[in-house]
Amino acid sequence: DAEITQSPRHKITETGRQVTLACHQTWNHNNMFWYRQDLGHGLRLIHYSYGVHDTNKGEVSDGYSVSRSNTEDLPLTLESAASSQTSVYFCASSLTGNTDTQYFGPGTRLTVL
Amino acid sequence: QKEVEQNSGPLSVPEGAIASLNCTYSDRGSQSFFWYRQYSGKSPELIMFIYSNGDKEDGRFTAQLNKASQYVSLLIRDSQPSDSATYLCAVMLYNQGGKLIFGQGTELSVKP
């Protein structure tokens, strides 16, 4: 069955370290998104991509980067992890267009000490 | 003003009652509207979406959209304890390439 997966599911790291969170989807969706979810803020968009080699900043992109080298993967990199980046991170994908539903991965809980 | 607003709750209803969840949005360019359910510690899962003014029914769930009032709601009939979760309203803006703007979510508790 087609699906969207994230790894790792849990990660503890130290301030200043580089961290990469993986997102892989097998639906052949063009669009992929990264969100973070924090109490009191809901889901906030970090970065998104509409296709291979396309990346765009969301509302909370500072300190994060993404690259899209193929259709299936959109890894999220925290260049120098900060305690403020402790959060739950969700990846999502959608086929294309303005009306297609986004489907979410299981999430990664990241703790920065 | 937040772009998508929901009452955070918690909203508590007895089993078998109708739960009414509300969402308002600020951008009149909003095109599509989604309701997601999120259980504690899990990822959001789509319940239903609505594009046109009026009601859309899917089983026990009914989405209602009023674009003039910039208001979208979700009704859950015959609420069950298994419906206890956080419900997220999301809005997709016209020509924004599928980006969603989420409300903070409303926590629903259905008491047996």
Side-chain angles (χ1 to χ4, degrees):
Chain A
D1 286 343
E3 61 178 354
I4 181 167
T5 58
Q6 294 183 236
S7 62
R9 296 294 312 278
H10 302 272
K11 174 77 175 177
I12 300 175
T13 191
E14 295 177 342
T15 301
R17 289 190 180 269
Q18 184 181 78
V19 176
T20 297
L21 309 182
C23 175
H24 179 79
Q25 53 94 6
T26 58
W27 282 307
N28 203 34
H29 283 171
N30 294 321
N31 302 340
M32 295 184 73
F33 307 84
W34 273 105
Y35 297 89
R36 60 178 289 175
Q37 188 173 39
D38 307 285
L39 281 174
H41 289 282
L43 282 160
R44 292 183 291 175
L45 185 63
I46 304 172
H47 281 287
Y48 57 101
S49 167
Y50 292 142
V52 177
H53 302 311
D54 175 76
T55 62
N56 306 280
K57 294 181 178 181
E59 63 176 306
V60 290
S61 60
D62 287 348
Y64 303 93
S65 64
V66 294
S67 62
R68 186 96 179 266
S69 58
N70 57 52
T71 300
E72 295 81 17
D73 298 289
L74 187 69
L76 177 71
T77 297
L78 287 67
E79 304 292 346
S80 177
S83 58
S84 60
Q85 295 176 308
T86 293
S87 186
V88 179
Y89 291 86
F90 288 103
C91 178
S93 70
S94 65
L95 183 57
T96 189
N98 292 321
T99 58
D100 286 309
T101 299
Q102 286 188 24
Y103 296 94
F104 283 79
T108 294
R109 183 174 294 276
L110 176 67
T111 302
V112 183
L113 300 176
Chain B
Q1 181 187 4
K2 293 182 181 176
E3 293 184 80
V4 180
E5 293 206 52
Q6 300 179 252
N7 289 326
S8 59
L11 174 65
S12 183
V13 300
E15 184 175 356
I18 296 175
S20 178
L21 304 160
N22 304 316
C23 174
T24 58
Y25 59 95
S26 59
D27 194 324
R28 290 194 174 273
S30 301
Q31 178 183 29
S32 312
F33 306 86
F34 299 79
W35 283 101
Y36 285 84
R37 177 176 61 199
Q38 187 176 25
Y39 292 113
S40 181
K42 302 295 185 182
S43 60
E45 55 179 337
L46 181 72
I47 298 175
M48 61 192 306
F49 55 85
I50 187 167
Y51 308 138
S52 304
N53 275 327
D55 295 358
K56 179 181 179 182
E57 187 174 317
D58 184 1
R60 295 187 296 114
F61 299 95
T62 298
Q64 300 175 317
L65 176 61
N66 184 326
K67 289 188 177 181
S69 300
Q70 296 176 246
Y71 176 94
V72 58
S73 65
L74 179 70
L75 301 178
I76 307 175
R77 290 182 300 281
D78 188 24
S79 295
Q80 301 297 310
S82 59
D83 293 326
S84 298
T86 296
Y87 290 79
L88 303 171
C89 171
V91 171
M92 189 177 290
L93 299 179
Y94 180 74
N95 268 347
Q96 289 291 312
K99 287 193 300 181
L100 289 175
I101 301 172
F102 284 86
Q104 290 189 331
T106 298
E107 182 183 352
L108 173 65
S109 177
V110 181
K111 304 295 186 183

